[in-house]
Amino acid sequence: MNQKSINNSLGRVFPPAALIGGVLFLTLGFIGFMGGHVVGLIVLLIGGFVCFTFHGVEINIEKKTIRSYTSYFGIKSGKIKDISSYPFICILKSNKSYKMHGRANQSVAYSETTYDIYLLNKTHQEKILLKIEKGQEQAIQSAKELAAYLDIELVTYMPKVTSRQRNK
């Protein structure tokens, strides 16, 4: 692979329940705007903001830089960092769950397990999310590829205990 940069979308900013509201706002805002109401435009923009806001990460392999960003309506915002401060890469298992409550005292729960690939600093105290994979084998393969592209070491996550943490 002769890529100069890698762009990984890390998913939406808002949870599923908010997305349902965002789609509803988009629909009502569109109908209101087409009917000639200015309020419809405002509601349309709010719905669009909720539905079209994403997290992601851009890795520039040539310049050895990384940028974690949030994309608002396609406009990316985030700080660029040098990869040399992050000499390690690791995989962490993550459990995410969402719960929605209804008015009739009923709730719907949704949970998923993902494998997150992180860039780590020397002490493993600071980490940057690079990619999210559904399966462990996919995560291992992706982590090995990223480690090879960035010329960094794939390690087990073991943060060093600092004296401040020891004294708590």
Side-chain angles (χ1 to χ4, degrees):
M1 181 188 254
N2 292 330
Q3 289 184 350
K4 294 180 182 179
S5 66
I6 298 170
N7 186 6
N8 290 329
S9 176
L10 300 176
R12 298 183 184 275
V13 172
F14 296 99
L19 287 174
I20 292 169
V23 170
L24 181 65
F25 271 47
L26 268 175
T27 306
L28 294 175
F30 182 74
I31 292 169
F33 182 67
M34 295 311 278
H37 300 287
V38 177
V39 176
L41 178 62
I42 295 168
V43 173
L44 182 69
L45 289 173
I46 292 170
F49 178 78
V50 172
C51 290
F52 301 113
T53 303
F54 297 91
H55 286 301
V57 64
E58 286 180 330
I59 305 166
N60 188 320
I61 296 171
E62 284 183 341
K63 295 180 182 177
K64 298 278 189 183
T65 59
I66 186 167
R67 175 172 76 152
S68 292
Y69 66 83
T70 302
S71 174
Y72 306 98
F73 294 108
I75 300 169
K76 296 175 183 175
S77 152
K79 292 184 178 181
I80 296 174
K81 296 182 178 181
D82 190 28
I83 290 180
S84 63
S85 306
Y86 301 89
F88 304 114
I89 194 169
C90 78
I91 302 169
L92 296 176
K93 186 177 177 181
S94 171
N95 294 313
K96 296 175 185 165
S97 63
Y98 304 101
K99 195 169 193 177
M100 295 182 272
H101 298 278
R103 289 180 52 179
N105 237 2
Q106 295 177 341
S107 63
V108 176
Y110 170 75
S111 62
E112 67 178 343
T113 300
T114 60
Y115 294 87
D116 303 338
I117 302 169
Y118 286 95
L119 206 56
L120 301 171
N121 69 351
K122 291 177 184 173
T123 62
H124 295 202
Q125 296 293 327
E126 188 178 337
K127 54 190 177 191
I128 299 174
L129 181 60
L130 296 179
K131 196 168 188 179
I132 300 171
E133 293 285 0
K134 299 277 185 200
Q136 185 176 13
E137 293 302 318
Q138 291 172 316
I140 292 169
Q141 182 65 29
S142 293
K144 286 179 180 178
E145 288 175 9
L146 285 168
Y149 292 142
L150 302 174
D151 194 28
I152 55 178
E153 185 181 356
L154 177 60
V155 297
T156 302
Y157 180 67
M158 293 177 53
K160 293 180 181 170
V161 179
T162 63
S163 59
R164 187 184 324 165
Q165 290 171 329
R166 231 186 331 260
N167 293 332
K168 282 187 178 181

